[in-house]
PDB file of all heavy atoms in Angstrom:
ATOM      1  N   GLU Q 414     -21.695 -71.971 -37.650  1.00  0.00           N
ATOM      2  CA  GLU Q 414     -21.461 -70.516 -37.717  1.00  0.00           C
ATOM      3  C   GLU Q 414     -22.548 -69.946 -38.677  1.00  0.00           C
ATOM      4  O   GLU Q 414     -22.238 -69.600 -39.851  1.00  0.00           O
ATOM      5  CB  GLU Q 414     -20.080 -70.159 -38.175  1.00  0.00           C
ATOM      6  CG  GLU Q 414     -19.764 -68.689 -37.997  1.00  0.00           C
ATOM      7  CD  GLU Q 414     -18.325 -68.314 -38.407  1.00  0.00           C
ATOM      8  OE1 GLU Q 414     -17.523 -69.179 -38.824  1.00  0.00           O
ATOM      9  OE2 GLU Q 414     -17.955 -67.127 -38.206  1.00  0.00           O
ATOM     10  N   PRO Q 415     -23.784 -69.902 -38.205  1.00  0.00           N
ATOM     11  CA  PRO Q 415     -24.929 -69.627 -39.168  1.00  0.00           C
ATOM     12  C   PRO Q 415     -24.898 -68.266 -39.852  1.00  0.00           C
ATOM     13  O   PRO Q 415     -25.458 -68.116 -40.914  1.00  0.00           O
ATOM     14  CB  PRO Q 415     -26.094 -69.696 -38.238  1.00  0.00           C
ATOM     15  CG  PRO Q 415     -25.667 -70.175 -36.942  1.00  0.00           C
ATOM     16  CD  PRO Q 415     -24.216 -70.002 -36.863  1.00  0.00           C
ATOM     17  N   GLU Q 416     -24.284 -67.258 -39.251  1.00  0.00           N
ATOM     18  CA  GLU Q 416     -24.415 -65.901 -39.831  1.00  0.00           C
ATOM     19  C   GLU Q 416     -23.438 -65.619 -40.953  1.00  0.00           C
ATOM     20  O   GLU Q 416     -23.395 -64.522 -41.446  1.00  0.00           O
ATOM     21  CB  GLU Q 416     -24.176 -64.895 -38.673  1.00  0.00           C
ATOM     22  CG  GLU Q 416     -25.113 -64.922 -37.563  1.00  0.00           C
ATOM     23  CD  GLU Q 416     -24.596 -64.588 -36.217  1.00  0.00           C
ATOM     24  OE1 GLU Q 416     -24.309 -63.448 -35.962  1.00  0.00           O
ATOM     25  OE2 GLU Q 416     -24.292 -65.561 -35.417  1.00  0.00           O
ATOM     26  N   MET Q 417     -22.629 -66.644 -41.342  1.00  0.00           N
ATOM     27  CA  MET Q 417     -21.525 -66.330 -42.243  1.00  0.00           C
ATOM     28  C   MET Q 417     -21.554 -67.204 -43.505  1.00  0.00           C
ATOM     29  O   MET Q 417     -22.168 -68.215 -43.618  1.00  0.00           O
ATOM     30  CB  MET Q 417     -20.216 -66.653 -41.497  1.00  0.00           C
ATOM     31  CG  MET Q 417     -19.933 -65.822 -40.319  1.00  0.00           C
ATOM     32  SD  MET Q 417     -19.652 -64.105 -40.844  1.00  0.00           S
ATOM     33  CE  MET Q 417     -20.172 -63.279 -39.317  1.00  0.00           C
ATOM     34  N   VAL Q 418     -20.813 -66.612 -44.474  1.00  0.00           N
ATOM     35  CA  VAL Q 418     -20.638 -67.356 -45.710  1.00  0.00           C
ATOM     36  C   VAL Q 418     -19.234 -67.027 -46.302  1.00  0.00           C
ATOM     37  O   VAL Q 418     -18.733 -65.962 -46.071  1.00  0.00           O
ATOM     38  CB  VAL Q 418     -21.773 -66.941 -46.736  1.00  0.00           C
ATOM     39  CG1 VAL Q 418     -21.584 -65.530 -47.245  1.00  0.00           C
ATOM     40  CG2 VAL Q 418     -21.923 -67.858 -47.885  1.00  0.00           C
ATOM     41  N   ASN Q 419     -18.676 -68.014 -46.944  1.00  0.00           N
ATOM     42  CA  ASN Q 419     -17.475 -67.790 -47.763  1.00  0.00           C
ATOM     43  C   ASN Q 419     -17.882 -67.601 -49.206  1.00  0.00           C
ATOM     44  O   ASN Q 419     -18.836 -68.277 -49.657  1.00  0.00           O
ATOM     45  CB  ASN Q 419     -16.478 -68.962 -47.741  1.00  0.00           C
ATOM     46  CG  ASN Q 419     -15.774 -69.150 -46.417  1.00  0.00           C
ATOM     47  OD1 ASN Q 419     -15.982 -70.124 -45.697  1.00  0.00           O
ATOM     48  ND2 ASN Q 419     -14.952 -68.193 -46.039  1.00  0.00           N
ATOM     49  N   LYS Q 420     -17.180 -66.729 -49.907  1.00  0.00           N
ATOM     50  CA  LYS Q 420     -17.536 -66.531 -51.334  1.00  0.00           C
ATOM     51  C   LYS Q 420     -17.308 -67.884 -52.064  1.00  0.00           C
ATOM     52  O   LYS Q 420     -17.993 -68.163 -53.042  1.00  0.00           O
ATOM     53  CB  LYS Q 420     -16.778 -65.429 -51.948  1.00  0.00           C
ATOM     54  CG  LYS Q 420     -17.320 -64.009 -51.522  1.00  0.00           C
ATOM     55  CD  LYS Q 420     -16.943 -62.948 -52.401  1.00  0.00           C
ATOM     56  CE  LYS Q 420     -17.683 -61.709 -52.060  1.00  0.00           C
ATOM     57  NZ  LYS Q 420     -17.291 -60.519 -52.836  1.00  0.00           N
ATOM     58  N   ASN Q 421     -16.305 -68.610 -51.572  1.00  0.00           N
ATOM     59  CA  ASN Q 421     -16.048 -69.930 -52.136  1.00  0.00           C
ATOM     60  C   ASN Q 421     -16.969 -70.934 -51.511  1.00  0.00           C
ATOM     61  O   ASN Q 421     -16.577 -71.679 -50.576  1.00  0.00           O
ATOM     62  CB  ASN Q 421     -14.553 -70.225 -51.834  1.00  0.00           C
ATOM     63  CG  ASN Q 421     -14.074 -71.373 -52.696  1.00  0.00           C
ATOM     64  OD1 ASN Q 421     -14.923 -72.138 -53.238  1.00  0.00           O
ATOM     65  ND2 ASN Q 421     -12.783 -71.562 -52.739  1.00  0.00           N
ATOM     66  N   SER Q 422     -18.213 -70.901 -51.926  1.00  0.00           N
ATOM     67  CA  SER Q 422     -19.185 -71.880 -51.377  1.00  0.00           C
ATOM     68  C   SER Q 422     -20.332 -71.995 -52.303  1.00  0.00           C
ATOM     69  O   SER Q 422     -20.620 -71.053 -53.127  1.00  0.00           O
ATOM     70  CB  SER Q 422     -19.681 -71.413 -49.974  1.00  0.00           C
ATOM     71  OG  SER Q 422     -20.554 -70.298 -50.147  1.00  0.00           O
ATOM     72  N   ARG Q 423     -21.082 -73.099 -52.304  1.00  0.00           N
ATOM     73  CA  ARG Q 423     -22.201 -73.284 -53.152  1.00  0.00           C
ATOM     74  C   ARG Q 423     -23.324 -72.280 -52.764  1.00  0.00           C
ATOM     75  O   ARG Q 423     -24.069 -71.807 -53.533  1.00  0.00           O
ATOM     76  CB  ARG Q 423     -22.724 -74.665 -53.035  1.00  0.00           C
ATOM     77  CG  ARG Q 423     -21.910 -75.694 -53.670  1.00  0.00           C
ATOM     78  CD  ARG Q 423     -22.720 -76.947 -53.758  1.00  0.00           C
ATOM     79  NE  ARG Q 423     -21.852 -78.117 -53.657  1.00  0.00           N
ATOM     80  CZ  ARG Q 423     -22.305 -79.342 -53.415  1.00  0.00           C
ATOM     81  NH1 ARG Q 423     -23.546 -79.592 -53.222  1.00  0.00           N
ATOM     82  NH2 ARG Q 423     -21.412 -80.343 -53.364  1.00  0.00           N
ATOM     83  N   PHE Q 424     -23.404 -72.052 -51.443  1.00  0.00           N
ATOM     84  CA  PHE Q 424     -24.439 -71.192 -50.938  1.00  0.00           C
ATOM     85  C   PHE Q 424     -24.277 -69.793 -51.468  1.00  0.00           C
ATOM     86  O   PHE Q 424     -25.248 -69.149 -51.932  1.00  0.00           O
ATOM     87  CB  PHE Q 424     -24.407 -71.176 -49.410  1.00  0.00           C
ATOM     88  CG  PHE Q 424     -25.583 -70.458 -48.781  1.00  0.00           C
ATOM     89  CD1 PHE Q 424     -26.779 -71.118 -48.692  1.00  0.00           C
ATOM     90  CD2 PHE Q 424     -25.473 -69.205 -48.268  1.00  0.00           C
ATOM     91  CE1 PHE Q 424     -27.959 -70.488 -48.094  1.00  0.00           C
ATOM     92  CE2 PHE Q 424     -26.548 -68.532 -47.664  1.00  0.00           C
ATOM     93  CZ  PHE Q 424     -27.763 -69.209 -47.589  1.00  0.00           C
TER      94      PHE Q 424
END
Side-chain angles (χ1 to χ4, degrees):
E414 193 178 2
E416 297 147 76
M417 295 295 155
V418 71
N419 288 114
K420 286 200 170 176
N421 194 345
S422 70
R423 288 195 212 163
F424 189 77

